[in-house]
Amino acid sequence: MDIDWGALRVKAAEASGRAYAPYSGYPVGAAALVDDGRVVSGCNVENASYGVGLCAECGLVSNLTMTGGGRLVAFTCVNGAGDVIMPCGRCRQLLFEHSAEGMLLETVSGIRTIDEVLPDAFGPRDLEMTSP
Ligand code: THU
C-alpha cells in the first residue's frame, strides 16, 4: 500500500486543531491509514483531573473502532507546531493492539515499524497461553 506521509501529517495537524488541551497547552493530533484505505484520526482531550486526560491516540483508536475497525498500516502524530512527536509508551501499546503486521510509524528518527518502537510487546497472542 502506497503511503502518502504528507497527507497523513495534514490530517494529524487538522486533528490537533480540535484538541482540548487547556491544562498542558500542548495540542496533539494523530492520524493513521487503515488496511482498507480509510484514514482515522484523533486529538488529545484533557481533564481537570489531569491524570485521566486522553491522548490523541485514544481518540484515534475510538475512531478506528467506531468507523468499522480494521488494522492500522501507517501512523503519524504531531504537536501544535506541526512537529512529528512520538506516541507515549501507553499509546504504543494501544497502537500495537490494532496494528497490521509491519505497521509503519513516522517518528523523530524516521520511519520505523511498530516492532521497533515497542519491542517484544505484550499483545493479544500472549493471552492465548492460558494456564490450566
Ligand atoms: N499526548 C498525546 O496526545 N499523545 C502522546 O502520545 C503524547 C502526549 C498529549 C497528552 C497531554 O494532553 C499532552 O500531550 C501533554 O502531555
Side-chain angles (χ1 to χ4, degrees):
M1 195 179 274
D2 220 20
I3 297 155
D4 185 344
W5 289 104
L8 215 50
R9 226 176 298 119
V10 166
K11 289 285 181 198
E14 278 172 14
S16 77
R18 303 273 183 184
Y20 175 73
Y23 305 107
S24 70
Y26 192 82
V28 177
L33 177 65
V34 184
D35 58 358
D36 65 359
R38 271 156 48 235
V39 172
V40 291
S41 60
C43 62
N44 55 337
V45 179
E46 297 183 349
N47 193 280
S49 178
Y50 300 160
V52 303
L54 303 173
C55 283
E57 292 86 341
C58 300
L60 179 146
V61 166
S62 290
N63 188 202
L64 173 72
T65 302
M66 284 294 291
T67 58
R71 298 264 145 211
L72 302 172
V73 168
F75 169 91
T76 192
C77 187
V78 300
N79 63 19
D83 304 319
V84 170
I85 61 165
M86 295 304 292
C88 74
R90 174 187 182 278
C91 289
R92 294 179 200 198
Q93 182 72 28
L94 271 187
L95 295 171
F96 179 77
E97 180 84 16
H98 301 280
S99 60
E101 185 87 35
M103 174 191 173
L104 299 174
L105 297 90
E106 188 172 42
T107 79
V108 294
S109 54
I111 305 300
R112 299 207 173 276
T113 66
I114 187 71
D115 297 313
E116 286 175 305
V117 302
L118 193 67
D120 300 328
F122 180 86
R125 270 190 303 278
D126 293 294
L127 295 178
E128 290 164 18
M129 301 289 291
T130 51
S131 50

